[in-house]
Amino acid sequence: MQLPEDQLRAGHIPADLYQRIPAGTDVRKVVIVQEAPRSYKGPIVLSLVVIAGSVVVLLVIAFVVQVIAGAAVAVLSASGGLSYTINRSKHK
């Protein structure tokens, strides 16, 4: 029991706290309240949600840009302003 937390868990009252207890107090009825340890679950989940949301937004933007580009090529090729061909020549 080297840490004060270990002493409190074992039911021992450290000397600095013992000196603050008023005289005549039954130390068997003294309750020492400790602060709960900090939980990192919330910030980690929030970070993962923000990252996942950012990825989804980027994928949606990429899909919309692809649809717009495809529509623009279709409109321009239908109006005769642009033609797009794929040349697949065989090399001998």
Side-chain angles (χ1 to χ4, degrees), residues 33-80:
V33 180
Q34 286 182 287
E35 183 177 347
R38 180 160 184 206
S39 171
Y40 293 98
K41 182 179 176 183
I44 290 172
V45 170
L46 179 64
S47 301
L48 293 175
V49 168
V50 168
I51 290 170
S54 301
V55 168
V56 169
V57 167
L58 290 176
L59 288 174
V60 168
I61 289 172
F63 179 73
V64 169
V65 168
Q66 181 182 4
V67 169
I68 290 172
V73 167
V75 167
L76 289 175
S77 64
S79 64

Side-chain angles (χ1 to χ4, degrees), residues 70-90:
V73 167
V75 167
L76 289 175
S77 64
S79 64
L82 177 72
S83 63
Y84 181 74
T85 59
I86 299 175
N87 187 7
R88 297 180 68 190
S89 62
K90 295 182 179 179

